[in-house]
Amino acid sequence: MASKNDTMGKTFTVIILLCLVCSIIVSGAAVGLKERQEANAALAKQQNILRTANVDLQGRSADVVFAERVRLMTFNRETQELTEHDSLFALEDALAASSAKEGGERAAQAGVRGLRADIPVYVVRGEDNGIASYVIDIRGSGLWGMMYAFLSLDPDGQTIRGINFYEHSETPGLGGEIQNPRWRSNFEGKDAIDSDGNVAIRVRKGAGDNEVDALSGATITSDGVDRTFQFWLSQEAYGAFLMKVREEGAI
């Protein structure tokens, strides 16, 4: 007849074995899901970049069109050197390895922290294989958090082609209108920088020349978008790259 201690020992043994089996299953699932999540995140980024550049997928998969039409590059803000990468994952690895430090006053005003020396540039080719646009990755603080966007510029490195706020936490119906295609279309055709490389685009209430009218009832969000442009299009960030395009032609 088994003692009470023997019964308790067997029970704990079964419990421990079950825990080990469950932990192995959960760990395996986490690894598998991580790969799927990374693939989904990459696909979402590809879709957003192509959408910002107004590329028609024509019923094809975004990753296929992206591979055919987009060159992946990083621009070093300190050396102004461009480096090409053969995949989105390689570009992300290069960005992660790039040194980071605090930016200047404009970066602080835009809410940008930990600014890396290398910043991404997506060179989008047209169907004729010529450069159709440059897409840059920008971000800045709004009312409730960071606003992330892709900004597309024409081959002249000056004219705005489109903007796509792909992630934000602004109030629906107010600051959330930064995603409204009608408001975003106001940026199209305006100058990002002037001939001297200064930031030209502004977001203000009662917009004037080369300005976009601020969102009604969303002053803080609108000011955040304006400060985002003031930093990322300045010589501290993409401004130097855009001047390089204007002076040297297509990259």
Side-chain angles (χ1 to χ4, degrees):
M1 181 175 180
S3 67
K4 184 177 180 180
N5 287 339
D6 289 340
T7 303
M8 290 292 291
K10 291 178 180 179
T11 300
F12 280 119
T13 300
V14 171
I15 291 173
I16 291 170
L17 288 173
L18 283 173
C19 290
L20 287 172
V21 171
C22 289
S23 65
I24 292 171
I25 293 173
V26 171
S27 297
V31 172
L33 287 175
K34 182 180 179 180
E35 293 178 354
R36 178 66 63 84
Q37 289 170 344
E38 289 176 346
N40 288 341
L43 181 60
K45 176 172 282 191
Q46 292 167 340
Q47 291 171 333
N48 280 316
I49 291 170
L50 293 172
R51 186 177 298 118
T52 308
N54 295 320
V55 174
D56 185 357
L57 299 181
Q58 299 179 339
R60 303 171 69 201
S61 175
D63 57 343
V64 173
V65 176
F66 190 89
E68 292 177 351
R69 301 276 293 273
V70 182
R71 289 173 60 199
L72 305 168
M73 311 193 79
T74 50
F75 176 74
N76 189 288
R77 299 182 302 105
E78 298 170 355
T79 65
Q80 298 192 10
E81 294 179 347
L82 281 160
T83 304
E84 189 162 359
H85 304 277
D86 58 9
S87 72
L88 195 56
F89 294 110
L91 181 144
E92 295 291 348
D93 287 343
L95 293 176
S98 179
S99 60
K101 58 184 179 181
E102 292 300 314
E105 183 179 351
R106 287 189 178 187
Q109 290 175 343
V112 177
R113 301 287 184 269
L115 186 64
R116 297 190 181 280
D118 290 318
I119 49 181
V121 176
Y122 305 93
V123 185
V124 183
R125 293 190 290 258
E127 294 183 358
D128 61 355
N129 210 38
I131 292 179
S133 64
Y134 298 98
V135 176
I136 59 178
D137 198 346
I138 63 177
R139 67 185 187 276
S141 58
L143 175 61
W144 301 114
M146 293 299 290
M147 302 176 291
Y148 298 87
F150 287 119
L151 180 68
S152 174
L153 298 113
D154 282 343
D156 62 7
Q158 179 176 15
T159 309
I160 295 175
R161 171 170 291 212
I163 187 167
N164 174 21
F165 288 91
Y166 61 89
E167 183 180 341
H168 69 86
S169 54
E170 300 305 282
T171 307
L174 295 173
E177 289 297 290
I178 57 175
Q179 277 188 315
N180 189 319
R182 185 168 57 183
W183 189 70
R184 289 189 287 114
S185 68
N186 293 319
F187 291 90
E188 297 171 8
K190 290 184 168 56
D191 289 338
I193 59 173
D194 62 23
S195 57
D196 295 321
N198 301 310
V199 183
I201 186 68
R202 298 302 305 262
V203 178
R204 291 175 173 170
K205 190 173 182 60
D209 292 340
N210 209 69
E211 296 179 345
V212 172
D213 200 10
L215 290 165
S216 178
T219 301
I220 295 177
T221 301
S222 299
D223 288 346
V225 173
D226 184 66
R227 288 192 293 267
T228 297
F229 281 125
Q230 296 310 303
F231 169 65
W232 287 105
L233 295 176
S234 73
Q235 295 299 310
E236 297 175 53
Y238 284 106
F241 165 74
L242 297 178
M243 283 303 294
K244 188 180 185 71
V245 171
R246 286 177 58 77
E247 293 171 359
E248 300 179 13
I251 299 301

